[in-house]
Amino acid sequence: MFGDAVMGDFSIRRANNGVMKESLRASAALETKVLGHPAFEALRVGERLTSPMVVVFIDLTDFTGRSFWDDETEVADLAHALLTGFIQTVTAFGGFPLGLRGDGLFAGFGPGNAQIDSVMALSACAFALDAVQNEVNPRLQRKNIEPVQARAGLDYGRITFVRSGNHEHSEVNPLGFAANFAAKCEKQAKSWEIVIGQGIAQQVPDSTTYSRHEKSPKSYQRAGAKHPQPQPGHPVRGLVGDRAVLLRSFRLN
């Protein structure tokens, strides 16, 4: 179904110079809605709410380079088709597409049961990556189009939703350490890999499912601060005074 959705979207766009006349009618419920989380859309400008959530980044690896060599409209159509597939997958697994970040999707799962949200988020990412590799890429190759690559990063923690901007132009912006670390996990992932933060690992404590990332632990400190080195095996979450933050990330096996 993922392959059909992505390739159908891509084919219609190519045939209609990027105009989705047929697809808009077929998927109006999806394409007319602004991305975001319904629980936080009613926030007024400057108002904020904080909640624990699983945050996800699903990204097309090395996709930027295609824009240097391939037809720009084909690159845009292919990226849009794949992002549409990611959005549908996240929604199907109970998540909320929060925004598009270039050639990647930022999504949230929850707030709810943290363990269930973590499992569903991991499942959505695994499904999306598998579908790109095994359903979409063979079809692209049959069209003599270079295959694509994908990766994902996740973490769990408290996210603050704030409506930024003014009364004429604004949007709800999800901010927080978990979102930042999920983005870093995604950047550390290789193609077809899912890298998770310590917050997710604590919610799904099955050591046979994932292995320690070779660049973990990752430590952070306030610029210019002097501090004793954190002791191995005693991670610290959150910055208190000038203490370092020690994070662990894991690679899904």
Side-chain angles (χ1 to χ4, degrees):
M1 293 177 64
F2 184 97
D4 290 343
V6 170
M7 294 307 298
D9 185 298
F10 179 63
S11 296
I12 293 172
R13 287 183 176 278
R14 298 306 297 156
N16 293 286
N17 295 319
V19 180
M20 292 285 287
K21 296 178 181 178
E22 296 178 32
S23 181
L24 279 173
R25 287 195 294 269
S27 59
L30 174 67
E31 296 219 3
T32 57
K33 291 183 179 179
V34 176
L35 300 185
H37 197 299
F40 306 99
E41 286 303 304
L43 291 172
R44 295 170 294 181
V45 174
E47 191 175 12
R48 63 185 182 273
L49 285 174
T50 300
S51 180
M53 291 188 69
V54 176
V55 283
V56 174
F57 281 90
I58 309 177
D59 183 68
L60 298 174
T61 318
D62 298 329
F63 196 79
T64 304
R66 299 175 80 104
S67 62
F68 292 105
W69 316 114
D70 296 339
D71 176 73
E72 63 220 29
T73 59
E74 181 181 274
V75 171
D77 290 341
L78 181 58
H80 181 96
L82 286 160
L83 290 172
T84 299
F86 291 159
I87 290 171
Q88 291 177 334
T89 298
V90 165
T91 303
F93 278 84
F96 300 92
L98 300 178
L100 299 175
R101 302 291 185 269
D103 51 18
L105 175 66
F106 176 38
F109 287 74
N113 183 300
Q115 291 185 330
I116 293 176
D117 291 337
S118 298
V119 169
M120 297 304 285
L122 286 167
S123 300
C125 291
F127 178 90
L129 268 58
D130 180 75
V132 171
Q133 187 174 29
N134 296 311
E135 293 293 333
V136 174
N137 277 345
R139 302 192 196 190
L140 290 177
Q141 289 177 308
R142 288 196 289 271
K143 291 178 175 288
N144 293 317
I145 298 175
E146 188 73 18
V148 295
Q149 304 172 69
R151 61 187 178 184
L154 305 85
D155 202 7
Y156 171 79
R158 291 175 63 79
I159 299 297
T160 297
F161 289 78
V162 56
R163 183 169 289 282
S164 304
N166 55 37
H167 293 286
E168 295 180 352
H169 304 283
S170 70
E171 67 176 2
V172 176
N173 191 17
L175 302 169
F177 183 83
N180 293 336
F181 198 66
K184 291 186 179 297
C185 286
E186 178 263 315
K187 294 303 181 186
Q188 291 294 335
K190 300 175 183 178
S191 295
W192 316 122
E193 285 187 343
I194 300 172
V195 175
I196 63 175
Q198 184 172 294
I200 293 286
Q202 291 173 337
Q203 297 301 324
V204 191
D206 184 357
S207 60
T208 63
T209 305
Y210 40 78
S211 57
R212 181 69 54 81
H213 194 281
E214 66 269 14
K215 293 187 178 181
S216 176
K218 179 82 173 178
S219 61
Y220 295 86
Q221 71 180 84
R222 184 169 293 166
K226 295 182 179 180
H227 62 88
Q229 289 294 322
Q231 296 300 311
H234 297 279
V236 180
R237 289 192 65 83
L239 189 60
V240 181
D242 290 336
R243 294 179 66 182
V245 183
L246 181 64
L247 279 306
R248 287 181 169 85
S249 56
F250 303 83
R251 176 171 285 126
L252 201 69
N253 293 330

